[in-house]
């Protein structure tokens, strides 16, 4: 599944992995984006989810559009995160006076949506403006979502069930975060753009950090 979003002729396509033959293609009314699509297997069905200025989900067999939702402005860089029947999506926090600026919204979408849904509708469990979402994708650890801002090196911790911002913390001495974090057991790891400093966070000591060379 290829999400090709550009300034002209954006589309999503499915290719046969064995032959490379194109199985289906759908036009997308989107400008250039940086987010990658994911396969979301939930209790209702399997979906291909994409993020851009809008979130859209497609039937992986036919390319049929299942649902779509505005991400409240801005471009998308982070990859959607799906956990069971909950999907976490959003657009980049960006304020440069351009048409791709956005408020860094983070949304929690419940499985089973159809058609055009709204950010305050029945299928959206919660929404959080200025979540800090930028280039790095969010991760889920011990009931909390962790979001790393790019330029300021700030970590945001969000309650997964309620969308409440638990805390925001500047990572001491960290450079910009472009790469996405990952989780091992109860710890979140992220590498800044210096390439030499993995920064880890243990949920049980959520306000503490350690820097390991």
């Amino acid at each position: 599944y290829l999400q090709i979003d550009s300034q002209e002729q954006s589309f999503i396509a499915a290719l046969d992995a064995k032959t490379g033959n194109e199985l289906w293609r759908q036009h997308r009314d989107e400008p250039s984006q940086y987010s990658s699509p994911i396969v979301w297997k939930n209790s209702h069905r399997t979906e291909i989810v994409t993020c851009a200025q809008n979130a859209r989900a497609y039937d992986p067999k036919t390319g049929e559009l299942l649902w779509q939702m505005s991400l409240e402005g801005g471009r998308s860089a982070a990859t959607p995160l799906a956990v069971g029947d909950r999907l976490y999506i959003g657009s980049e926090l960006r304020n440069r006076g351009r048409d791709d600026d956005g408020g860094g919204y983070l949304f929690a979408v419940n499985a089973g949506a159809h058609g055009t849904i709204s950010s305050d509708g029945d299928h959206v469990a919660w929404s959080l403006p200025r979540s800090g979402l930028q280039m790095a994708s969010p991760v889920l650890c011990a009931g909390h979502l962790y979001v790393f801002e790019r330029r300021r090196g700030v970590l945001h911790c969000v309650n997964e069930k309620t969308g409440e911002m638990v805390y925001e913390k500047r990572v001491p001495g960290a450079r910009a975060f472009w790469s996405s974090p990952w989780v091992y057991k109860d710890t979140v790891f992220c590498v800044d753009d210096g390439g030499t400093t993995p920064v880890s966070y243990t949920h049980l000591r959520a306000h503490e950090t350690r820097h390991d060379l």
Side-chain angles (χ1 to χ4, degrees), residues 116-130:
T116 299
I117 64 175
S118 62
S119 58
D120 58 356
D122 294 339
H123 287 287
V124 178
W126 52 259
S127 64
L128 177 65
R130 301 195 66 81

Side-chain angles (χ1 to χ4, degrees), residues 55-78:
R56 291 185 172 95
Y58 302 86
D59 185 318
K61 294 182 179 179
T62 66
E64 174 191 0
L65 180 64
L66 300 174
W67 60 267
Q68 60 184 347
M69 184 185 80
S70 170
L71 295 181
E72 305 296 340
R75 67 180 186 183
S76 292

Side-chain angles (χ1 to χ4, degrees), residues 173-179 190-199:
R175 296 174 60 173
F177 290 106
W178 293 83
S179 63
C190 195
V191 182
D192 69 15
D193 72 357
T196 58
T197 311
V199 183

Side-chain angles (χ1 to χ4, degrees), residues 75-141:
R75 67 180 186 183
S76 292
T79 298
L81 172 65
V83 182
D85 278 0
R86 182 66 63 84
L87 176 73
Y88 304 100
I89 52 178
S91 59
E92 184 180 354
L93 177 63
R94 184 181 175 94
N95 184 19
R96 293 183 175 181
R98 301 177 182 176
D99 59 5
D100 60 356
D101 284 353
Y105 274 85
L106 185 63
F107 302 95
V109 178
N110 293 322
H114 291 276
T116 299
I117 64 175
S118 62
S119 58
D120 58 356
D122 294 339
H123 287 287
V124 178
W126 52 259
S127 64
L128 177 65
R130 301 195 66 81
S131 67
L133 190 65
Q134 289 187 309
M135 302 300 288
S137 303
V139 291
L140 178 65
C141 180

Side-chain angles (χ1 to χ4, degrees), residues 7-180:
Q7 293 306 106
E8 298 181 358
Q9 300 180 345
S10 296
F11 65 92
I12 182 172
L15 305 182
D16 186 299
K18 293 182 179 180
T19 66
N21 293 334
E22 186 172 287
L23 304 176
W24 55 258
R25 176 184 292 220
Q26 291 282 10
H27 169 74
R28 288 169 54 78
D29 182 19
E30 295 285 359
S32 298
Q33 310 292 327
Y34 299 92
S35 177
S36 299
I38 65 164
V39 178
W40 181 20
K41 295 182 178 180
N42 54 62
S43 63
H44 294 259
R45 62 198 175 207
T46 299
E47 310 175 23
I48 304 299
V49 180
T50 65
C51 278
Q53 292 185 348
N54 301 277
R56 291 185 172 95
Y58 302 86
D59 185 318
K61 294 182 179 179
T62 66
E64 174 191 0
L65 180 64
L66 300 174
W67 60 267
Q68 60 184 347
M69 184 185 80
S70 170
L71 295 181
E72 305 296 340
R75 67 180 186 183
S76 292
T79 298
L81 172 65
V83 182
D85 278 0
R86 182 66 63 84
L87 176 73
Y88 304 100
I89 52 178
S91 59
E92 184 180 354
L93 177 63
R94 184 181 175 94
N95 184 19
R96 293 183 175 181
R98 301 177 182 176
D99 59 5
D100 60 356
D101 284 353
Y105 274 85
L106 185 63
F107 302 95
V109 178
N110 293 322
H114 291 276
T116 299
I117 64 175
S118 62
S119 58
D120 58 356
D122 294 339
H123 287 287
V124 178
W126 52 259
S127 64
L128 177 65
R130 301 195 66 81
S131 67
L133 190 65
Q134 289 187 309
M135 302 300 288
S137 303
V139 291
L140 178 65
C141 180
H144 292 77
L145 294 161
Y146 292 87
V147 179
F148 288 84
E149 280 191 44
R150 178 178 70 248
R151 297 293 185 196
R152 297 196 304 148
V154 174
L155 168 66
H156 299 255
C157 177
V158 180
N159 185 292
E160 175 264 338
K161 292 184 178 180
T162 66
E164 174 191 5
M165 182 69 73
V166 180
Y167 66 84
E168 302 175 44
K169 181 179 179 64
R170 177 76 169 83
V171 181
R175 296 174 60 173
F177 290 106
W178 293 83
S179 63
S180 297

